[in-house]
């Protein structure tokens, strides 16, 4: 029996940011793992360590040089945040107002998600050259609580996160606050924003996990949660079911789970609004849902962004 875990048993499931998760060890040689005894940790240098406490196998994976450099930069920013107690965006952040300073791949990522320049400004999304990532901030009461850097090169980790020290819970990206009695729960901010354009409240977990404290905070504001994750693999599907169980314990109405195998932000705007109308939603007294933009203006705007994105991909 080999003493080491295979790379594909743990590396794809490692946290994007420094930290540890646990999960069931699929095909564990000591029998089915019902207690999630495979622990996977992302180290500060970007390496990944894992150990199964069912079979005893362990593994260590060293990331490529570009990932090590990324985590060195990330560590520096986190140390500065811890020392000052204040969070700032990367020092070289550039607004979409200076569009020519953005690389083509960063623009293509957002345009293919049906985000217009106006949407990007509304969400305070910027680009950082030193990280070579699209930076998505989370604000609360006018204060920057966290930011996520989204990869544009197709490399891992897909997301990196820096948050203000001392927060009781992980910040959630919220849009359309109390617009309805229900709230859509998504993985990422772009999906939440896109859902809000269809007239709904939405919160992004900035991941796929939700603590009891976060669920309680959401339940204090809304009566129904509707889970809409990017359910394109078995792990995320399980996490969506776990979220449903968690919210069912604290919400007034049954939690819904949308399973269409497609990320919310990858739907066209009309397509997404039509899909959301088919969901069993709790009643919202005196509140309406629907498209919030003039349809002709919306279609022209999206058509222009799609054409730009396709041209960028063809030239790259």
């Amino acid at each position: 029996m080999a003493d080491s875990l295979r790379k594909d048993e743990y590396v794809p499931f490692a946290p994007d940011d420094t930290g540890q998760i646990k999960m069931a060890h699929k095909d564990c040689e000591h029998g089915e793992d019902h207690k999630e005894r495979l622990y996977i940790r992302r180290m500060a240098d970007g390496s990944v360590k894992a150990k199964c406490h069912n079979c005893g196998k362990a593994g260590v994976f060293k990331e490529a040089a570009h990932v090590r450099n990324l985590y060195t930069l990330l560590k520096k920013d986190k140390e500065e945040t811890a020392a000052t107690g204040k969070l700032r965006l990367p020092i070289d952040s550039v607004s979409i107002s200076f569009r020519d300073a953005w690389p083509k791949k960063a623009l293509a990522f957002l345009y293919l998600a049906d985000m217009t320049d106006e949407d990007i400004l509304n969400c305070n999304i910027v680009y950082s050259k030193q990280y070579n990532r699209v930076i998505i901030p989370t604000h609360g009461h006018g204060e920057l609580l966290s930011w996520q850097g989204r990869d544009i090169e197709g490399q891992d980790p897909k997301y990196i996160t820096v948050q203000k020290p001392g927060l009781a819970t992980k910040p959630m990206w919220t849009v359309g606050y109390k617009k309805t009695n229900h709230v859509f729960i998504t993985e990422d901010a772009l999906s939440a924003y896109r859902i809000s354009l269809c007239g709904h409240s939405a919160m992004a977990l900035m991941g796929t996990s939700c603590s009891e404290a976060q669920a309680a905070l959401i339940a204090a504001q809304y009566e129904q949660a509707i889970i809409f994750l990017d359910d394109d693999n078995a792990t995320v599907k399980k996490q969506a079911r776990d979220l449903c169980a968690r919210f069912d314990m604290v919400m007034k109405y049954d939690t819904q789970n949308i399973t269409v195998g497609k990320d919310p932000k990858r739907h066209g705007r009309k397509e997404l609004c039509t899909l959301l109308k088919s969901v069993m939603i709790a009643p919202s007294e005196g509140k309406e849902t629907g498209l919030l933009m003039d349809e002709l203006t919306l279609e022209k705007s999206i058509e222009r962004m799609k054409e730009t994105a396709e041209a960028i991909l063809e030239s790259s």
Side-chain angles (χ1 to χ4, degrees):
M1 181 186 300
D3 294 328
S4 298
L5 292 164
R6 300 189 314 273
K7 174 184 170 182
D8 63 346
E9 290 182 282
Y10 65 97
V11 174
F13 310 105
D16 291 332
D17 197 11
T18 306
Q20 178 175 275
I21 66 164
K22 64 176 183 176
M23 60 181 289
H25 184 189
K26 186 179 179 181
D27 302 325
C28 180
E29 293 186 9
H30 276 206
E32 191 169 353
D33 177 11
H34 295 287
K35 297 183 178 181
E36 297 185 336
R37 302 189 69 189
L38 175 59
Y39 288 76
I40 307 170
R41 178 178 290 277
R42 173 80 68 176
M43 309 303 291
D45 63 357
S47 63
V48 180
K49 294 184 178 181
K51 183 172 183 179
C52 175
H53 292 271
N54 196 39
C55 65
K57 288 186 178 181
V60 178
F61 177 74
K62 296 286 186 180
E63 297 281 10
H66 77 275
V67 179
R68 293 197 297 273
N69 293 337
L70 170 68
Y71 276 96
T72 297
L73 185 61
L74 192 60
K75 181 180 179 183
K76 182 179 178 181
D77 270 352
K78 288 185 174 182
E79 288 175 346
E80 177 187 320
T81 300
T84 63
K86 294 183 179 180
L87 179 64
R88 62 165 175 80
L89 293 174
I91 198 166
D92 64 342
S93 297
V94 180
S95 165
I96 193 65
S97 299
F98 302 94
R99 190 173 176 278
D100 291 344
W102 283 50
K104 293 178 178 179
K105 289 183 179 179
L107 293 171
F109 164 69
L110 292 169
Y111 290 164
L112 288 174
D114 274 359
M115 297 288 287
T116 66
D117 286 3
E118 183 181 358
D119 294 330
I120 296 167
L121 279 172
N122 287 341
C123 295
N124 300 305
I125 296 171
V126 295
Y127 169 74
S128 167
K129 184 177 180 180
Q130 64 178 350
Y131 279 104
N132 191 26
R133 286 169 179 261
V134 170
I135 306 298
I136 305 170
T138 300
H139 292 86
H141 303 291
E143 183 182 13
L144 180 63
L145 300 180
S146 70
W147 59 260
Q148 279 198 330
R150 208 300 186 167
D151 168 67
I152 58 173
E153 300 288 350
Q155 298 175 332
D156 289 330
K158 183 183 289 186
Y159 287 98
I160 57 173
T161 305
V162 179
Q163 73 177 48
K164 181 184 175 183
L167 296 178
T169 61
K170 180 178 69 174
M172 295 175 287
W173 201 94
T174 306
V175 64
Y177 176 69
K178 288 302 290 181
K179 189 180 295 180
T180 55
N181 289 346
H182 62 273
V183 60
F184 282 85
I185 305 297
T186 69
E187 290 183 49
D188 63 275
L190 299 189
S191 291
Y193 180 77
R194 289 285 317 287
I195 287 172
S196 78
L197 295 180
C198 295
H200 301 274
S201 302
M203 283 188 173
L205 297 176
M206 313 307 273
T208 56
S209 63
C210 181
S211 67
E212 290 183 9
Q214 286 176 310
L217 285 173
I218 297 172
Q221 302 165 30
Y222 299 96
E223 296 181 338
Q224 182 187 34
I226 303 162
I227 312 301
F228 196 170
L229 306 185
D230 181 8
D231 63 336
D232 58 355
N233 65 70
T235 299
V236 175
K237 288 179 180 178
K238 180 183 181 300
Q239 289 167 328
R241 292 193 297 270
D242 290 344
L243 286 173
C244 284
R246 170 147 288 174
F247 281 109
D248 273 340
M249 295 176 65
V250 294
M251 287 290 187
K252 178 178 178 180
Y253 295 97
D254 290 344
T255 304
Q256 303 295 313
N257 184 22
I258 300 178
T259 56
V260 293
K262 189 176 180 180
D263 197 331
K265 65 178 176 289
R266 297 304 178 192
H267 290 76
R269 296 208 180 191
K270 282 189 174 180
E271 175 192 15
L272 181 60
C273 290
T274 300
L275 172 63
L276 299 185
K277 286 179 179 178
S278 69
V279 180
M280 296 293 292
I281 291 175
S284 298
E285 293 183 7
K287 300 174 182 178
E288 298 290 335
T289 61
L291 286 170
L292 300 185
M293 294 178 63
D294 173 75
E295 291 195 6
L296 182 60
T297 302
L298 177 63
E299 288 179 4
K300 288 182 177 179
S301 177
I302 295 304
E303 183 179 352
R304 185 175 69 253
M305 294 299 100
K306 289 277 191 177
E307 289 174 353
T308 303
E310 289 169 359
I312 287 172
L313 293 179
E314 287 177 3
S315 63
S316 62

